[in-house]
Amino acid sequence: MKKIFLAIASLVLAAGIGVAAVGCATGYAVEVSGGGSGVGLSNTRNGTFDLGMASKEVKGEDAEGLTVYQLCIDGIAIVVNNENAVEDLTTAQIKAIYLGTTDNWSDVGGADASINVVHREDGSGTRDAFLEKVGIDEETETMVEGTTLNSTNLVMQTVSGDKNAIGYISLGSLDDSLKAVKIGGVEATKTNVLNNTYPLQRPFNVVYTESRLAENDLLQDFLTYLKSEDAQEIIEEKGYISLTSRTYPAYAVPETKPETMELSVGGSTSVQPLMSQLAYAYEELLAA
Amino acid sequence: MAKEIVLREGEVDVSHIVPINRQSFADKARAYAHKPCSLIGFALVLLATLITLAMVLWILVYVFMQGVPHLTADIFAVRWTPENMSMLPSLVNTLTIAGISLVVAGVVGIFAAVFMVEYAKSTNIFVKIVRVAAETLSGIPSIVYGIFGMMFFVELCGWGNSLLGGAFTMALMMLPLIMRTTEEALRAVPDSFREGSFALGAGKLRTIFRIILPSAMPGIVSGIILGLGRVVGETMALVYTAGSAFNVRYPASPMNQGCTLTVYMYSLINEGNEYIGQAWAVAVVLIVLVVLINGVAEFIGNKLKKEY
Amino acid sequence: MRQASIANNAAEAAIPVSRRAAAREIGMKVVFAVAAAIFIAAVIVICVYLFIRAVPAVGEIGVIEFLFGGVWAPGKGAYGIGTLVVGTIVATAGALIVGVPVGLLVAVFMAFYCPKWLYKICKPLLNILAGIPSIVYGYFGLQVIVPFVRDTFGGTGFSLLTTAFILGVMILPTIINISETSLRAVPKSYYEGALALGATKERAIFRTMFPAAASGIVTAVILGLGRAFGETAAVVIICGNVAKFPTSLLDSIRTLSSNIANELGYAEGLHREALIACAAVLFVFILIITTIIMLLRRKKR
């Protein structure tokens, strides 16, 4: 019996090692974690991440010790369930809903039902950007208590399942399962974000420390990639908005490949899906 | 009864007495009519059992129905890509962490159990304190272990998010379980084994390593495999120690971060609508793993019972 | 074991051993003792670590403000865990209300009513229930129970009701297993005696076996309580994470553990220390529960 047990155990171990070896042999690794914009900033500062992602403006205290590069622009869409009759809200109405002064859909043109407010968590860049653009000061005003969820996609799932819910998500993540309301008559589209008629927008920033940049040549090359046309193509494809004021060079894989094999990226969950795609495309380019 | 019963002296004819565990249905019905509370009690017991069984089957069937359609070859691809969302790397990570933590916890737990059973008198104050410590350790919630692991291995030791940190945290969690099962297995070894061994001239150490531990092996192994089941199912303690990178890959060394199967499922859940199917598929794999592990543990544990 | 000690002493005394072997014996004894001491060290280190960070934080926030403050809003500098403690308590209480009656009844079934063939099916099923990872429970709750509660009872679905239900199902196996073991451990003579005196089966069970197994059952309940108390992965997904005192079953809540899980990733400075203090509070609660269990066990002897 013991022999059989040992045989099975060694088989499993061998299989594991074999799979791992195959997997390991591939090389460059750009790991993209989440955690929120707050984590992105603090962990880049303390060195846990090589590159941080933030879905809001990084200035003042937040920017201490960090160099910021704006990757692209993203709109914030206010989303309601597809069955909700409301099509249009003003910033003032949204503010009133989130402060709790308006708590029934009938007050803003919908059915008679109480509004289920959905928040993002405290460290979310989307939340910070939303509050800033809508004009709610957290220090002085109390928002209505609503379901607090940890990521854009969870908000989407909740709002698409609850016909009385309202939430805010990244515009790039918007899909058919939800409806984005117009803000003061302006629809939430890329063009409207670019020409500044749609007010709810925020930058996607990446942050890094100069010291880490000097040490990690993979980071240097990845940043070159992010600043290139190839990256912008992916950004546009995913529904985010390139800064048209810049010109982007094409990316070429460097002659001598970077020495460092690992790159650790983390932060905003709004930027995370985009960054995962970019990381994957980058790895493919390097491995080729 | 057609047979004639021959009574010897002093015996009583008991053939007409109906023993209580052979009540006919009519008898039972009469008893319930007299004491309706008993009927309610019986009904409640049945109801509770039916509800529980229904719950178990509902959960299992639902998870399998949702997850099995997504168990494609893609989701077991060797390399992770955003298209195939393969769970194989995270599965390997789970097994790696489990392997390391069980080796560590196994050694420490078995040695500690050996001490508690073979060397110390049970009235010793040290033994009592160790027992209290083990009880406390087993009650601590997993998130507290996660915070501790984060503060200790990730920050203090400076390892960052690492598989090793995760494995050591899990080892801490497994220690009480392994020590308890090993103690039971060791106590189940008859004293005659020990006495015989001493009588033959073997020292304490040799007795332990040559006679007692091998005899207790099935129980010890069963305990370790149960611990394996717990490691496989753990999330929170690993999110903060081994990391939760979304694009999972095979770590080049144990000092790299690695997303385990459960943490991968947690990340998928946080992705909401996009990856519902994949999340269910991971749930199916998790349940299958746990069932397999528990089955093996029980099989080996039963062998222990058979031999004595 | 007494005989073993005698044999041990005899062995150590009578058998002539070389000095190296003797040194090895003592050496290994130390190794084994160290292994046992690791348990103590682990508890002490965890304790020290938690409190070293938690106590200054609580000092800075103020003990009364921290423990009883009703607002948890790190953005504003409010770190009161009152709502969290209440949330944890009601979630645990709800889990017990769901889990204990059903669990005890099922334990009674398994110990007294279950035919052998059914037992062979039920026991593995219960073990599977015990083994399902908590995150699968949480996901099941999110995808199945939350919409159900939302559509049937109103509210957002992320509610105390959902949390209590899922937690109750999670602690069922613990309660059933331990209660069944204690019920089986009661001598059969109690049961037979009651039957002989004319009681029905149910009366015999509930009036004689239950009280006899009382300490084991109480241990089972308390262990279930401990498990529900610290449960995180399932709760953080389904409870709604709203830090306010729940006024109805359909209100969202936030527990101590889900609070930590939600915010630990991005907390900085005093916020992070406050979360560690939350973990310390959890630790203290568990210490109290463990002590109660041990006192109960001592009383049994």
Side-chain angles (χ1 to χ4, degrees):
Chain A
M1 274 317 115
K2 241 202 301 193
K3 292 210 180 98
I4 299 181
F5 175 68
L6 280 172
I8 299 179
S10 33
L11 242 143
V12 169
L13 198 61
I17 294 181
V19 172
V22 171
C24 274
T26 47
Y28 289 103
V30 179
E31 310 250 15
V32 181
S33 328
S37 300
V39 178
L41 295 173
S42 57
N43 277 356
T44 312
R45 213 173 287 132
N46 69 29
T48 315
F49 293 147
D50 298 307
L51 190 67
M53 312 181 283
S55 59
K56 61 175 183 179
E57 295 220 13
V58 181
K59 49 183 192 260
E61 241 184 33
D62 284 339
E64 212 173 291
L66 300 171
T67 322
V68 184
Y69 171 71
Q70 183 175 356
L71 196 57
C72 58
I73 309 179
D74 181 37
I76 298 182
I78 305 293
V79 286
V80 295
N81 193 288
N82 275 330
E83 292 179 29
N84 198 319
V86 174
E87 299 265 335
D88 196 340
L89 288 172
T90 64
T91 329
Q93 283 175 316
I94 298 174
K95 180 170 172 175
I97 291 177
Y98 268 86
L99 283 178
T101 21
T102 311
D103 62 357
N104 195 306
W105 280 114
S106 53
D107 294 335
V108 290
D112 179 26
S114 61
I115 305 183
N116 289 339
V117 175
V118 175
H119 286 288
R120 284 291 308 281
E121 83 282 9
D122 237 350
S124 158
T126 315
R127 173 188 166 116
D128 284 346
F130 167 73
L131 292 176
E132 194 188 313
K133 299 292 176 183
V134 164
I136 299 180
D137 181 3
E138 258 203 297
E139 304 263 322
T140 51
E141 301 171 284
T142 334
M143 286 199 290
V144 66
E145 289 286 358
T147 318
T148 307
L149 298 170
N150 273 344
S151 74
T152 282
N153 281 300
L154 265 183
V155 174
M156 286 169 66
Q157 187 179 22
T158 311
V159 172
S160 59
D162 179 357
K163 54 185 198 296
N164 296 323
I166 183 172
Y168 47 87
I169 61 169
S170 154
L171 182 58
S173 306
L174 184 63
D175 63 18
D176 290 329
S177 65
L178 303 164
K179 184 163 67 171
V181 299
K182 300 191 216 166
I183 310 285
V186 179
E187 214 177 301
T189 61
K190 267 195 224 186
T191 15
N192 288 339
V193 169
L194 272 175
N195 63 33
N196 276 323
T197 48
Y198 187 78
L200 298 178
Q201 48 175 277
R202 69 332 190 353
F204 273 1
N205 286 319
V206 290
V207 296
Y208 53 90
T209 51
E210 288 296 332
S211 49
R212 187 55 67 89
L213 183 67
E215 305 172 340
N216 191 326
D217 50 359
L218 189 60
L219 178 60
Q220 292 166 12
D221 195 51
F222 188 56
L223 275 173
T224 323
Y225 172 73
L226 289 178
K227 295 179 184 173
S228 76
E229 200 185 321
D230 308 59
Q232 296 300 322
E233 259 178 44
I234 297 184
I235 289 175
E236 289 281 334
E237 202 186 301
K238 290 279 142 193
Y240 303 98
I241 302 148
S242 265
L243 292 155
T244 44
S245 50
R246 294 199 195 138
T247 44
Y248 299 100
Y251 173 76
V253 179
E255 296 264 319
T256 42
K257 299 224 173 127
E259 250 182 45
T260 331
M261 300 296 277
E262 255 215 8
L263 197 59
S264 158
V265 185
S268 160
T269 53
S270 302
V271 185
Q272 191 182 14
L274 174 62
M275 187 58 74
S276 300
Q277 293 284 14
L278 289 169
Y280 177 62
Y282 177 65
E283 282 173 10
E284 294 285 288
L285 281 177
L286 273 191
Chain B
M1 290 265 179
K3 217 182 357 173
E4 234 201 47
I5 298 164
V6 174
L7 292 171
R8 293 212 197 89
E9 188 161 327
E11 277 190 356
V12 177
D13 181 5
V14 295
S15 56
H16 60 278
I17 298 181
V18 179
I20 196 160
N21 57 358
R22 246 173 277 155
Q23 272 179 321
S24 71
F25 191 64
D27 287 329
K28 281 204 190 122
R30 220 180 315 133
Y32 282 141
H34 278 166
K35 297 205 167 51
C37 287
S38 292
L39 186 59
I40 298 178
F42 181 61
L44 281 179
V45 168
L46 269 189
L47 191 64
T49 315
L50 283 174
I51 293 179
T52 310
L53 286 179
M55 257 332 288
V56 178
L57 289 173
W58 184 26
I59 295 181
L60 287 178
V61 167
Y62 194 88
V63 173
F64 272 77
M65 265 179 40
Q66 294 285 338
V68 171
H70 294 272
L71 285 178
T72 57
D74 242 8
I75 208 168
F76 286 107
V78 175
R79 263 205 85 198
W80 183 93
T81 69
E83 279 83 46
N84 67 17
M85 298 298 285
S86 167
M87 66 167 100
L88 197 61
S90 39
L91 180 59
V92 170
N93 281 337
T94 302
L95 293 176
T96 316
I97 286 191
I100 301 178
S101 70
L102 286 175
V103 164
V104 173
V107 167
V108 175
I110 293 179
F111 277 18
V114 164
F115 182 79
M116 301 286 274
V117 172
E118 306 289 332
Y119 281 93
K121 305 187 207 30
S122 59
T123 49
N124 193 346
I125 188 95
F126 180 63
V127 168
K128 287 207 185 117
I129 300 184
V130 170
R131 246 183 247 298
V132 170
E135 285 277 344
T136 314
L137 276 182
S138 64
I140 297 181
S142 51
I143 185 107
V144 176
Y145 276 113
I147 278 196
F148 172 72
M150 185 183 73
M151 289 197 292
F152 194 79
F153 297 112
V154 174
E155 292 178 12
L156 185 73
C157 294
W159 293 349
N161 279 339
S162 64
L163 282 187
L164 210 57
F168 281 164
T169 313
M170 292 309 307
L172 265 180
M173 289 180 75
M174 293 304 109
L175 273 180
L177 176 69
I178 293 189
M179 185 174 93
R180 201 182 334 136
T181 45
T182 311
E183 265 190 84
E184 273 174 30
L186 288 175
R187 283 189 211 280
V189 174
D191 277 342
S192 53
F193 281 40
R194 297 180 180 87
E195 289 161 8
S197 174
F198 292 140
L200 287 170
K204 191 83 169 279
L205 264 188
R206 197 180 286 247
T207 313
I208 293 177
F209 280 108
R210 296 293 186 121
I211 313 280
I212 303 182
L213 276 184
S215 319
M217 241 338 129
I220 297 179
V221 168
S222 161
I224 292 188
I225 298 185
L226 274 177
L228 175 68
R230 273 201 67 186
V231 172
V232 165
E234 186 52 53
T235 16
M236 281 300 146
L238 292 169
V239 168
Y240 300 109
T241 48
S244 56
F246 189 63
N247 47 349
V248 252
R249 58 197 56 249
Y250 304 99
S253 90
M255 293 306 287
N256 291 356
Q257 62 173 318
C259 191
T260 63
L261 210 50
T262 39
V263 176
Y264 188 53
M265 184 174 173
Y266 186 56
S267 308
L268 287 178
I269 293 177
N270 276 337
E271 289 305 305
N273 274 338
E274 293 217 16
Y275 300 116
I276 291 188
Q278 283 88 339
W280 283 120
V282 176
V284 170
V285 171
L286 275 172
I287 292 186
V288 167
L289 254 184
V290 167
V291 168
L292 269 179
I293 291 174
N294 282 346
V296 170
E298 203 170 300
F299 177 68
I300 298 187
N302 278 342
K303 282 174 46 58
L304 171 69
K305 290 189 193 120
K306 283 202 190 109
E307 286 180 66
Y308 296 117
Chain C
M1 280 325 289
R2 224 185 107 246
Q3 288 145 315
S5 339
I6 295 177
N8 282 356
N9 292 337
E12 284 164 358
I15 300 173
V17 287
S18 72
R19 266 222 288 207
R20 240 181 57 191
R24 218 181 328 147
E25 292 263 344
I26 297 183
M28 282 309 281
K29 181 171 181 179
V30 169
V31 167
F32 293 139
V34 163
I38 286 185
F39 282 75
I40 308 181
V43 173
I44 294 183
V45 168
I46 295 182
C47 223
V48 162
Y49 242 78
L50 283 180
F51 286 109
I52 250 188
R53 301 277 285 264
V55 171
V58 174
E60 196 173 319
I61 303 172
V63 179
I64 305 287
E65 168 62 31
F66 179 71
L67 287 178
F68 300 107
V71 180
W72 174 271
K76 289 199 213 153
Y79 296 104
I81 63 171
T83 49
L84 306 177
V85 171
V86 169
T88 315
I89 293 180
V90 290
T92 313
L96 288 178
I97 293 178
V98 170
V100 170
V102 177
L104 290 181
L105 288 172
V106 176
V108 165
F109 179 83
M110 302 277 282
F112 297 110
Y113 289 92
C114 200
K116 281 228 169 70
W117 59 269
L118 193 58
Y119 194 77
K120 288 216 186 99
I121 304 178
C122 286
K123 197 77 174 159
L125 274 181
L126 273 180
N127 284 340
I128 293 180
L129 197 66
I132 296 180
S134 46
I135 194 167
V136 175
Y137 276 115
Y139 199 47
F140 180 78
L142 177 66
Q143 300 289 79
V144 178
I145 310 290
V146 165
F148 175 73
V149 169
R150 178 164 52 214
D151 295 334
T152 326
F153 299 108
T156 54
F158 295 99
S159 61
L160 175 58
L161 184 64
T162 322
T163 316
F165 179 71
I166 294 283
L167 278 181
V169 174
M170 289 176 75
I171 64 175
L172 265 182
T174 314
I175 295 183
I176 294 178
N177 270 334
I178 303 182
S179 306
E180 189 200 332
T181 314
S182 7
L183 280 173
R184 277 191 199 273
V186 179
K188 263 231 140 159
S189 53
Y190 284 46
Y191 178 61
E192 289 162 3
L195 288 183
L197 287 170
T200 57
K201 191 169 181 180
E202 290 71 33
R203 272 214 168 180
I205 297 173
F206 287 107
R207 294 298 188 101
T208 58
M209 305 293 270
F210 242 66
S215 67
I217 292 181
V218 170
T219 311
V221 170
I222 296 187
L223 278 174
L225 191 155
R227 203 185 153 186
F229 205 76
E231 182 51 51
T232 323
V235 172
V236 73
I237 302 176
I238 59 176
C239 72
N241 293 311
V242 173
K244 71 171 194 220
F245 295 101
T247 47
S248 93
L249 267 183
L250 296 176
D251 277 351
S252 300
I253 56 170
R254 187 187 284 210
T255 63
L256 275 169
S257 45
S258 78
N259 189 45
I260 300 176
N262 257 331
E263 307 191 346
L264 187 62
Y266 57 84
E268 280 189 290
L270 184 59
H271 187 189
R272 175 174 267 210
E273 311 289 310
L275 287 177
I276 298 179
C278 282
V281 171
L282 269 176
F283 184 69
V284 167
F285 265 106
I286 295 295
L287 270 182
I288 297 177
I289 293 180
T290 313
T291 320
I292 295 181
I293 296 185
M294 283 191 3
L295 286 175
L296 273 178
R297 287 227 187 103
R298 207 155 295 168
K299 223 176 64 171
K300 191 165 78 165
R301 283 197 212 116

